[in-house]
């Protein structure tokens, strides 16, 4: 009887041990229970040293067991798991097997979201961004843009301006790819994606600058610049499309200053400053909170209507509120254009010079000054035909300066130089004029008052 009793107790104890052994994946615990928890910890301790040494071949079998049986055990399963599967992909020659491994890598990221997606530092948005990055890298030209777009849209919609910056950037990449494949069907969505992501990047940039985090601010500025470059060359940024999207939205958001500012910036960036939608946004924004941007919009509206006094008033107001030298340079040049159209050449030149002071890399102000010099040659020397021709030296000086400053003006500058060189006085005319000789520096009179050299 005693032996039977001992056997019964032993049997019951074995049953308890077996019953208590359970994998973490089955009972939702970190390591599992009983013998399975020991198995989990053992395999983690075995794969980790190999993985740290990049010995993925020996790490793999132990990692695989722990990954499948106790996926909530440690983030190391995923940190090293990504490296292990990437190693397998790199060494795989069979396309079908390589594709299956890419799917497996994506599953590693998905499982990390399931078990560690709420990590305070590396949460779901960070994980999915890296998943998308790996997928794009591995698929190359065969990337399924709609698939990536779906992954990241969920992230961007959920996290908004707090989304991982890489997630926002790759979201725009996927949206751009979809636009390329479905130009008309995705155009409006792409524009809306761009505006939304621009707002998010602006918020992140402001936060980085407020925290004096120069490195992060620089990285964010680079990412934002990249999506702006993609947008400007996308073909989606035409005025007709923008108007169809934003005309109604502006009326619905006429008190939303952030929306209005972003709309104004968007329309200006793609060259739609003559759009009535742009003018409407500028007008509403100026009422809520006058800024240089809104004043420029209203100035452009008045300019379009040829109400030059009102236009100049708004542009001058914009100057007083602008802190950006490039913006100031653009405004000064617009005011110069107004004065030029009214043949107030002295004022036009004054504003061209102010534009160049704010941005020395501009070339168009030099073109304008040269044209004004050439246009007034007759009035400066009405009774001296040879000196009248000398005015063209000063004009050509400006065209040459324009060509040297920026290659974008080279074609126009060369054309002007070719034209006005033909108006230079001949060698005989210079010889017959008592005050002139080749190589001599002279001062052109009248409103020009500038020194030039006789050729």
């Amino acid at each position: 009887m005693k032996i039977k009793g001992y056997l019964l107790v032993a049997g019951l104890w074995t049953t308890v041990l077996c019953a208590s052994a359970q994998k973490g994946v089955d009972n939702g615990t970190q390591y599992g229970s009983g013998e399975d928890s020991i198995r989990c910890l053992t395999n983690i301790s075995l794969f980790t040293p190999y993985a740290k040494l990049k010995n993925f071949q020996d790490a793999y079998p132990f990692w695989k067991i722990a990954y499948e049986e106790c996926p909530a055990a440690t983030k190391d399963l995923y940190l090293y798991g990504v490296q292990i599967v990437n190693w397998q992909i790199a060494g795989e020659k069979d396309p079908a097997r390589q594709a299956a491994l890419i799917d497996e890598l994506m599953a590693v990221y998905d499982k990390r979201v399931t078990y560690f997606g709420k990590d305070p530092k590396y949460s779901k948005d960070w994980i999915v961004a890296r998943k998308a990055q790996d997928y794009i890298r591995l698929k190359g030209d065969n990337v399924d843009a709609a698939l990536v777009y779906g992954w990241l849209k969920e992230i961007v919609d959920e996290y908004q301006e707090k989304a991982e910056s890489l997630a926002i950037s790759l979201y725009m990449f996927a949206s751009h790819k979809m636009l390329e494949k479905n130009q008309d069907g995705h155009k409006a969505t792409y524009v809306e994606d761009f505006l939304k992501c621009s707002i998010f990047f602006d918020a992140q940039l402001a936060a980085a600058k407020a925290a004096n985090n120069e490195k992060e601010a620089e990285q964010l500025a680079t990412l934002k610049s990249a999506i702006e470059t993609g947008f400007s060359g996308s073909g989606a940024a035409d005025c007709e499309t923008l108007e169809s999207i934003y005309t109604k939205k502006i009326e619905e958001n006429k008190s939303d200053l952030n929306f209005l500012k972003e709309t104004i910036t968007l329309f200006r960036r793609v060259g739609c400053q003559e759009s009535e939608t742009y003018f409407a946004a500028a007008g509403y924004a100026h009422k809520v909170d006058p800024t240089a941007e809104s004043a420029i919009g209203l100035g452009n509206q008045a300019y379009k209507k040829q109400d030059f006094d009102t236009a100049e008033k708004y542009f001058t107001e914009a100057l007083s509120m602008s802190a950006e030298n490039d913006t100031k340079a653009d405004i000064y040049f617009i005011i110069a254009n107004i004065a030029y159209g009214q043949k107030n050449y002295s004022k036009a030149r004054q504003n061209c010079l102010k534009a160049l002071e704010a941005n020395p890399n501009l070339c168009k102000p030099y073109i304008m000054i040269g044209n004004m010099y050439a246009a007034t040659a007759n009035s400066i020397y009405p009774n001296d035909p040879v000196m009248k021709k000398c005015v063209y030296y000063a004009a050509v000086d400006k065209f040459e300066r324009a060509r040297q400053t920026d290659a974008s003006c080279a074609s126009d500058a060369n054309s002007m130089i070719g034209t006005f060189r033909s108006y230079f006085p001949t060698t005989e005319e210079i010889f017959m004029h008592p005050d002139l000789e080749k190589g001599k520096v002279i001062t052109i009179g009248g409103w020009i008052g500038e020194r030039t050299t006789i050729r």
Side-chain angles (χ1 to χ4, degrees):
M1 282 295 295
K2 284 185 178 180
I3 294 174
K4 288 184 179 179
Y6 287 137
L7 290 174
L8 179 61
V9 171
L12 289 170
W13 181 244
T14 301
T15 303
V16 169
L17 275 175
C18 293
S20 66
Q22 198 170 18
K23 297 172 185 176
V25 70
D26 295 326
N27 66 9
T29 61
Q30 186 175 5
Y31 300 109
S33 57
E35 291 181 0
D36 283 330
S37 67
I38 296 172
R39 174 180 163 88
C40 171
L41 289 167
T42 300
N43 281 289
I44 290 172
S45 67
L46 289 172
F47 95 76
T48 305
Y50 288 126
K52 285 181 177 179
L53 294 173
K54 308 294 183 185
N55 182 355
F56 299 131
Q57 182 171 350
D58 288 335
Y60 176 74
F62 304 117
W63 168 81
K64 185 71 170 175
I65 292 170
Y67 169 73
E68 290 183 345
E69 295 185 2
C70 50
T74 171
K75 278 192 296 186
D76 285 353
L77 289 169
Y78 306 98
L79 297 174
Y80 293 118
V82 165
Q83 296 177 45
I84 289 168
V85 182
N86 265 306
W87 166 76
Q88 290 179 313
I89 293 168
E92 182 58 59
K93 303 302 181 185
D94 178 58
R97 175 61 186 149
Q98 193 175 68
L101 285 169
I102 293 173
D103 289 341
E104 187 172 331
L105 177 62
M106 298 301 103
V108 172
Y109 282 111
D110 290 340
K111 191 177 282 192
R112 180 172 177 177
V113 169
T114 299
Y115 291 99
F116 293 96
K118 295 182 180 180
D119 183 87
K121 189 173 182 181
Y122 302 110
S123 56
K124 181 169 71 172
D125 59 326
W126 189 95
I127 300 167
V128 175
R130 270 70 194 173
K131 171 186 174 181
Q133 186 179 44
D134 260 356
Y135 176 83
I136 292 166
R137 173 180 60 83
L138 291 166
K139 285 292 188 179
D141 294 337
N142 297 319
V143 64
D144 184 342
L147 182 65
V148 178
Y149 183 81
W151 293 342
L152 295 171
K153 185 178 189 308
E154 179 182 344
I155 296 300
V156 170
D157 287 348
E158 178 179 348
Y159 287 81
Q160 301 285 308
E161 72 276 4
K162 296 186 183 300
E164 168 73 15
S165 58
L166 179 62
I168 298 173
S169 177
L170 294 179
Y171 174 68
M172 281 307 303
F173 166 83
S175 188
H176 192 280
K177 286 292 184 184
M178 289 180 68
L179 175 72
E180 291 176 346
K181 293 183 178 180
N182 185 17
Q183 186 73 28
D184 295 326
H186 192 70
K187 185 183 285 187
T189 301
Y190 175 72
V191 173
E192 291 179 343
D193 286 342
F194 172 76
L195 179 63
K196 175 171 61 180
C197 291
S198 292
I199 293 171
F200 295 162
F201 272 135
D202 284 342
Q204 293 185 0
L205 265 169
K209 289 176 180 177
N212 292 319
N213 191 332
E214 294 181 8
K215 183 178 180 180
E216 184 178 356
E218 185 177 342
Q219 291 172 343
L220 288 167
T222 300
L223 290 174
K224 187 180 181 191
S225 177
I227 71 168
E228 287 174 345
T229 300
F231 181 75
S232 61
S234 68
D238 62 87
C239 299
E240 184 179 350
T241 300
L242 293 181
E243 286 181 345
S244 68
I245 295 170
Y246 287 99
T247 298
K248 183 179 179 181
K249 288 188 175 184
I250 286 169
E251 292 301 318
E252 294 172 347
N253 296 276
K254 58 187 177 184
S255 298
D256 185 340
L257 186 60
N258 287 333
F259 176 83
L260 294 171
K261 284 181 177 179
E262 286 295 332
T263 302
I264 293 166
T265 301
L266 174 62
F267 273 69
R268 178 174 57 79
R269 185 180 291 123
V270 299
C272 298
Q273 291 109 311
E274 294 190 359
S275 162
E276 290 300 323
T277 306
Y278 167 76
F279 295 144
Y284 287 134
H286 206 70
K287 288 178 182 178
V288 177
D289 181 26
T291 62
E293 190 78 58
S294 62
I296 290 170
L298 293 174
N300 283 328
Q301 182 180 35
Y303 187 83
K304 182 180 179 181
K305 294 178 179 178
Q306 298 188 343
D307 183 356
F308 300 120
D309 289 341
T310 301
E312 188 170 343
K313 183 195 85 169
Y314 279 120
F315 287 130
T316 302
E317 186 179 346
L319 279 172
S320 68
M321 293 186 286
S322 177
E324 301 286 336
N325 281 335
D326 287 352
T327 302
K328 286 184 176 181
D330 291 342
I331 296 170
Y332 278 126
F333 189 60
I334 294 171
I335 296 174
N337 270 284
I338 293 173
Y340 179 73
Q342 297 172 329
K343 296 188 177 181
N344 188 341
Y345 297 142
S346 181
K347 182 178 179 180
R349 180 176 64 177
Q350 180 185 18
N351 282 281
C352 280
L353 294 175
K354 287 181 178 179
L356 291 167
E357 183 180 350
N359 183 0
N361 297 317
L362 294 178
C363 58
K364 289 184 179 179
Y366 290 118
I367 297 283
M368 180 181 288
I369 294 172
N371 281 326
M372 291 189 292
Y373 286 178
T376 55
N378 285 328
S379 63
I380 292 174
Y381 294 107
N383 301 316
D384 191 334
V386 178
M387 282 302 297
K388 180 188 80 171
K389 291 183 178 182
C390 289
V391 176
Y392 298 115
Y393 292 140
V396 168
D397 288 345
K398 298 304 177 187
F399 299 136
E400 288 178 341
R401 188 68 182 275
R403 180 174 61 183
Q404 294 164 5
T405 301
D406 187 344
S408 67
C409 281
S411 179
D412 288 343
N414 286 332
S415 176
M416 298 293 183
I417 290 168
T419 298
F420 290 111
R421 269 183 178 164
S422 66
Y423 296 162
F424 287 177
T426 64
T427 302
E428 292 78 11
E429 287 173 324
I430 291 173
F431 180 77
M432 296 299 294
H433 201 288
D435 299 329
L436 305 179
E437 61 180 277
K438 188 175 182 181
K440 182 179 180 181
V441 176
I442 61 171
T443 299
I444 302 298
W447 77 278
I448 294 178
E450 197 162 312
R451 292 163 68 83
T452 188
T453 302
I454 297 174
R455 276 62 153 178

